Amino acid sequence: MTLAPLPYRVVDRRDETHDTVTLSLEPAGEALGPFAPGQFAMMYAFGVGEVPVSVSRIPDGQRLTHTVRAVGAVTRALWTLRTGAWVGMRGPFGTCWDLAAARGNDLLVIAGGIGIAPLRPAIDAVLAEPHGYGRLNVLAGARSPADLLYRNEFPTWERPFSTVTVDRPDDDWTGRVGVVTTLLGEAHFTPADTTALVCGPEVMMRATARDLIHRGVRPDRVQVSLERNMRCATGHCGHCQLGPLLLCRDGPVVGYDRAEPLLSVREL
Amino acid sequence: MTPQTGEPAGGGALDTLPAEHRGRLMALAHEAAFPSTTRIFEEGDEADRFWIIRSGTVALDVHVPGRGRTVVETIGRGALLGWSWLCPPRHWHLGAESRGPVLAWEFDAAAVRSLCAERPDLGLALVTVVAETIGDRLRATRTRLLDLYGPPGSPEGGAGP
Amino acid sequence: MTDPENTVAVPGAPTEAVLDRDGLDELVRVLVRRGRTVIGPTVRDGAIVLDELESADALPYGWGVELEAGQYRVRRRADQAAFAHSAGPQSWKSFLHPERVRQWSAERRPDGVLSVRPEAPQSVSYAFLGVRPCDLRAIRILDRVMGGGRYRDPAYLSRRTGAFLIAVECTEPGATCFCVSMGTGPAADAGFDLALTEVVDAAGHRFLCRSGSPEGAAVLAELPRRDADEPTRAAAASAVSEAAERMGRSMPPVDLRTLMRDTLEAERWDDVTARCLSCGNCTMVCPTCFCTTTEDVTDLTGDHAERWRRWDSCYDLDFSLLHGGPVRATPRSRYRQWLTHKLGTWHDQFDSSGCVGCGRCIVWCPTGIDLTEEAHALHQEATRTESAP
């Protein structure tokens, strides 16, 4: 079923920051098909509405994990859900991070803000198969230390380079300060044999992709996760168009060779 | 400057210089080591040196009355530390402190400036490298001004889905 | 659903015949007897609209239309032709892809458990009488959009599957028609169950009727008819080929997909934006514009919720809403989205143009914006830019 949501129960909630929560969900009966890293579900808050949310971890079994940031009516409703509450789920939708194409390559996983959420399943997949890939670098930017997601997990991603940088440090912050691209000079990768997975605000992704290509990474190996208004997720509502792409179908993960000419046209 | 083990290829700010220029400059460099939390320079002091960081991280800060030192950016391996030595009045605009042990190549600014005067082609190449660093930091700063990770829309609007 | 490949006739069933008006009367009766809801053109409120037909008497015999950019008038004709008019304000999408459909309902039980009930499929069995070749293509395009991808839309398929299509070839194009440019008319070649060509001449008022499916042939077999004669065939063929010569509009003779792709930053967009009100009329009357949005509603108890889908327009500011605001904030970007999608990126998404040359968007634009004129202007600007030093 792709149009009517399936009921899922919140079995765990973990507050990541003051406005972001990770919900673990289990189906009441029928479960959605398996998700791949980078794909998304439509999450329905009863009577309020539906939003696309990427899968932020892919545990074994039927459990779904999604990280939601309260920014609008629907996401606020999801954010308030307690353990035992019910949501409606549709999916999986969209393209996934192309890890098959990245095999043997050095990997740059570059996240801005909540962009780390769709990338976490890709990091998990790479760590589960350490010999399938070259060097893994995880670079994440956040607004402030209080806005950092999955902070406890960063040490487990250090293989060989994993760093968080913030725009606005507090007095206790001893980590990096600045935009995420400033970390690229220190990452361990051979540009010609590198795949980059990038997710964050569009301006951040454009700046990051330009920098990577300038350093010699092939544009088609810079994978970005794009976002547009989305209503149906099944390719019928027309909202998620970006030029020739229907992002619910042809995205969200798109190679920068395809994305660049579209993102460079204002208001496309 | 041959990259040491563990130093990223292509990361050093001077790597894009022609080998001959790089060699002439490196002849003026000496190794410097800063233990953790060393004040490398202070805002307002004379900018008579600069560094290329080989390992470790340096925090650039501003003293804000009532808040103390506030870090505005950190820079790491391969980065150019300091460009105030290039243009008058040649005083540091920020303070710099090592975050953990830092190894760097240290350059005497006066000697480098004389070399540039003597070899205008080398001077132009070096100024281009410095300008690139300044450009990168300006772009990064402007990106941060956008507060991209901040809450979208107005607090009342609830503009997101 | 009409299978355009399956044109093999039932043995003994006619594939071609001539009908008189009584044949048309019987056609509607036969279809109603077969349980069909017959939809066709009729005159109402000063327009030729599509509505349920109880009998063929309701057809707009003796009515024509006068069309221009921003103008629509019905007028009396000297003859009693039923189909000597071109596209009206509606299209068949109003029936296949209705303005508003409920997609599912959900209940929250006292224990908080959620249960969702998908909407039952529509049981209607449509027969569309008087489908113009341009609109026949529009239905084929909607088939691809709503039913040809990975996910098939049940609301559309439940109305479309098994629908009986009676095409009527075009013999009286309007001043805003350009189906020849889009390769969609005025002749009907495939994709119908029956195709009619209306002939009004000294030999009388009659319809050359061809079957395009076994069901079409079976229906034709039940109608009062006579064998197709050569003069009627010739008159029908020349009426259609003359119509092809009388198109009121044309597209520039270039690859429109490439033109749209390469003129995204053209100055012409500023010009058209000065005239565009962003009202969305063009998207409402377009027979292929399919965009929708969703509405989630609850009853007063808060325990019963429904998801409704309704037509939406890319001219709506909220259409592209993303966090802080709309991606396409200016009218310029919204008109450009509509036109470049229709003529250009539709190819990338659904393997064909989204425009069938019916001219509805020209007629129903309150400021008379004409997409063929805009395409010509974009082409001219592109040519000027290319030849500039």
Side-chain angles (χ1 to χ4, degrees):
Chain A
M1 179 50 62
T2 52
L3 276 184
L6 296 178
Y8 272 70
R9 197 167 59 92
V10 178
V11 293
D12 187 42
R13 63 163 286 144
R14 178 193 168 87
D15 284 292
E16 304 285 355
T17 71
H18 71 285
D19 64 358
T20 304
V21 66
T22 296
L23 300 175
S24 292
L25 309 164
E26 278 182 2
E30 190 189 343
L32 300 179
F35 281 74
Q39 287 191 302
F40 68 95
M42 294 300 282
M43 291 185 79
Y44 171 66
F46 187 84
V48 183
E50 209 178 26
V51 284
V53 184
S54 292
V55 65
S56 67
R57 174 142 281 159
I58 304 174
D60 290 334
Q62 298 188 329
R63 189 175 277 210
L64 291 177
T65 305
H66 292 273
T67 301
V68 180
R69 184 181 182 197
V71 292
V74 182
T75 46
R76 260 196 297 274
L78 294 169
W79 174 72
T80 57
L81 293 176
R82 300 285 142 202
T83 302
W86 291 82
V87 291
M89 300 294 290
R90 297 193 289 134
F93 296 116
T95 54
C96 56
W97 300 111
D98 191 353
L99 288 173
R103 291 192 77 82
N105 281 1
D106 289 335
L107 273 172
L108 289 169
V109 175
I110 305 173
I114 195 164
I116 189 72
L119 286 165
R120 188 170 67 163
I123 298 170
D124 291 343
V126 170
L127 291 177
E129 214 189 338
H131 301 296
Y133 306 89
R135 294 164 288 183
L136 171 68
N137 302 267
V138 179
L139 318 177
R143 190 186 199 209
S144 74
D147 292 309
L148 269 175
L149 303 184
Y150 318 138
R151 199 169 173 169
N152 301 337
E153 296 188 35
F154 270 84
T156 67
W157 294 341
E158 200 137 355
R159 198 206 84 166
F161 186 71
S162 151
T163 296
V164 171
T165 181
V166 299
D167 284 347
R168 303 175 177 196
D170 56 24
D171 290 344
D172 301 326
W173 179 251
T174 56
R176 303 296 299 259
V177 178
V179 296
V180 73
T181 43
T182 58
L183 303 177
L184 282 174
E186 300 160 57
H188 298 253
F189 65 105
T190 307
D193 298 307
T194 291
T195 293
L197 315 179
V198 187
C199 188
E202 202 165 294
V203 173
M204 167 266 173
M205 291 196 289
R206 286 209 312 260
T208 305
R210 270 199 298 266
D211 197 323
L212 290 170
I213 292 163
H214 178 67
R215 287 169 192 269
V217 180
R218 265 171 43 184
D220 62 312
R221 288 201 185 141
V222 178
Q223 303 176 23
V224 295
S225 181
L226 301 176
E227 191 180 13
R228 284 292 179 269
N229 190 317
M230 218 168 263
R231 310 301 306 183
C232 75
T234 53
H236 298 141
C237 80
H239 280 258
C240 66
Q241 289 181 70
L242 176 63
L245 307 179
L246 285 168
L247 284 181
C248 72
R249 180 188 82 178
D250 308 318
V253 178
V254 175
Y256 202 68
D257 54 328
R258 291 178 78 195
E260 194 278 331
L262 305 175
L263 297 182
S264 64
V265 180
R266 271 178 33 217
E267 296 194 280
L268 188 65
Chain B
M1 184 175 75
T2 43
Q4 310 289 302
T5 313
E7 288 188 20
L14 299 185
D15 284 3
T16 53
L17 289 176
E20 193 259 338
H21 292 171
R22 199 165 57 238
R24 293 291 300 269
L25 279 167
M26 290 312 294
L28 301 176
H30 66 269
E31 290 185 30
F34 302 103
S36 187
T37 64
T38 306
R39 296 298 296 173
I40 302 172
F41 55 78
E42 294 289 352
E43 180 181 348
D45 286 357
E46 192 188 345
D48 55 357
R49 283 165 298 168
F50 67 92
W51 299 264
I52 302 289
I53 300 172
R54 298 171 62 196
S55 69
T57 304
V58 174
L60 304 172
D61 53 32
V62 182
H63 182 80
V64 180
R67 270 174 66 189
R69 287 189 192 118
T70 302
V71 176
V72 292
E73 186 158 28
T74 56
I75 58 176
R77 204 158 43 185
L80 167 69
L81 171 60
W83 51 266
S84 298
W85 55 274
L86 191 61
C87 331
R90 298 189 179 116
H91 293 290
W92 299 117
H93 298 87
L94 303 167
E97 182 173 314
S98 56
R99 287 248 172 122
V102 167
L103 286 178
W105 297 109
E106 182 173 301
F107 297 80
D108 177 75
V112 171
R113 282 199 303 273
S114 331
L115 176 63
C116 292
E118 189 185 305
R119 289 282 310 275
D121 58 331
L122 186 153
L124 178 62
L126 179 63
V127 168
T128 304
V129 163
V130 176
E132 203 179 336
T133 298
I134 297 171
D136 284 347
R137 302 217 178 127
L138 179 61
R139 273 192 293 278
T141 304
R142 286 172 172 166
T143 304
R144 284 166 65 189
L145 279 176
L146 292 173
D147 194 19
L148 292 172
Y149 308 137
S154 61
E156 299 80 26
Chain C
M1 193 177 296
T2 311
D3 179 0
E5 306 303 316
N6 188 0
T7 53
V8 182
V10 176
T15 57
E16 192 186 35
V18 173
L19 309 180
D20 292 323
R21 267 184 71 159
D22 64 338
L24 217 50
D25 294 344
E26 188 60 18
L27 173 61
V28 174
R29 279 194 291 269
V30 166
L31 291 168
V32 170
R33 272 206 304 276
R34 287 172 168 245
R36 298 284 189 173
T37 300
V38 182
I39 310 290
T42 190
V43 177
R44 195 180 64 210
D45 302 333
I48 296 179
V49 299
L50 298 176
D51 204 351
E52 182 166 354
L53 301 180
E54 309 220 325
S55 85
D57 291 342
L59 289 169
Y61 288 110
W63 287 98
V65 291
E66 278 170 15
L67 307 178
E68 236 333 308
Q71 289 178 44
Y72 180 97
R73 294 278 181 283
V74 290
R75 63 171 174 86
R76 274 288 176 191
R77 289 178 58 84
D79 61 24
Q80 283 300 302
F83 300 107
H85 55 84
S86 43
Q90 294 151 301
S91 70
W92 307 97
K93 86 170 174 188
S94 301
F95 302 91
L96 295 173
H97 183 42
E99 250 181 278
R100 206 157 177 271
V101 293
R102 185 170 52 205
Q103 294 186 292
W104 44 263
S105 315
E107 307 290 337
R108 186 161 51 190
R109 299 204 313 242
D111 58 359
V113 177
L114 179 71
S115 77
V116 181
R117 196 175 60 252
E119 191 69 4
Q122 190 75 12
S123 59
V124 70
S125 169
Y126 281 125
F128 293 158
L129 171 58
V131 184
R132 299 311 181 145
C134 56
D135 282 351
L136 201 57
R137 176 67 66 87
I139 292 172
R140 213 188 298 172
I141 289 170
L142 282 181
D143 288 349
R144 172 70 179 83
V145 172
M146 304 305 289
R150 175 162 181 206
Y151 304 108
R152 294 149 62 88
D153 178 58
Y156 180 85
L157 291 178
S158 70
R159 291 163 174 83
R160 173 70 178 95
T161 306
F164 190 87
L165 304 184
I166 305 153
V168 175
E169 293 194 303
C170 213
T171 52
E172 191 81 27
T176 50
C177 287
F178 57 102
C179 64
V180 168
S181 286
M182 302 315 296
T184 61
D189 50 0
F192 50 79
D193 295 284
L194 289 174
L196 305 175
T197 315
E198 187 169 32
V199 177
V200 186
D201 60 14
H205 183 191
R206 57 205 188 280
F207 304 88
L208 179 69
C209 181
R210 292 174 286 146
S211 64
S213 71
E215 191 182 1
V219 169
L220 183 55
E222 292 186 47
L223 306 181
R225 64 187 187 280
R226 59 179 186 272
D227 289 344
D229 55 290
E230 204 44 53
T232 300
R233 278 199 196 108
S238 75
V240 173
S241 59
E242 279 166 26
E245 302 299 317
R246 296 207 310 276
M247 289 290 132
R249 295 287 198 278
S250 69
M251 278 291 186
V254 294
D255 179 21
L256 293 171
R257 181 187 188 179
T258 312
L259 178 66
M260 292 300 121
R261 191 194 62 202
D262 296 345
T263 55
L264 289 171
E265 306 288 10
E267 287 174 9
R268 181 68 188 187
W269 301 114
D270 295 322
D271 183 286
V272 64
T273 306
R275 290 170 281 132
C276 177
L277 306 178
S278 282
C279 70
N281 266 15
C282 49
T283 59
M284 297 294 114
V285 297
C286 177
T288 66
C289 269
F290 60 85
C291 289
T292 53
T293 188
T294 49
E295 281 174 353
D296 289 278
V297 296
T298 48
D299 67 2
L300 285 176
T301 67
D303 292 328
H304 175 81
E306 295 182 351
R307 159 72 47 82
W308 287 79
R309 178 173 80 183
R310 61 169 176 80
W311 285 359
D312 199 2
S313 171
C314 53
Y315 287 91
D316 195 298
L317 200 54
D318 285 348
F319 189 86
S320 60
L321 202 65
L322 194 64
H323 308 308
V327 172
R328 292 187 279 274
T330 61
R332 176 185 186 273
S333 67
R334 299 203 289 279
Y335 183 82
R336 183 182 67 182
Q337 164 63 25
W338 179 72
L339 192 66
T340 57
H341 183 220
K342 190 64 55 185
L343 300 177
T345 52
W346 204 293
H347 286 277
D348 300 280
Q349 295 168 5
F350 304 111
D351 304 320
S352 78
S353 172
C355 177
V356 298
C358 70
R360 285 183 178 91
C361 57
I362 307 173
V363 172
W364 298 96
C365 175
T367 64
I369 295 172
D370 173 349
L371 82 167
T372 65
E373 185 188 332
E374 298 313 313
H376 279 286
L378 287 166
H379 173 51
Q380 277 158 20
E381 184 177 336
T383 315
R384 261 202 319 277
T385 315
E386 266 169 33
S387 57

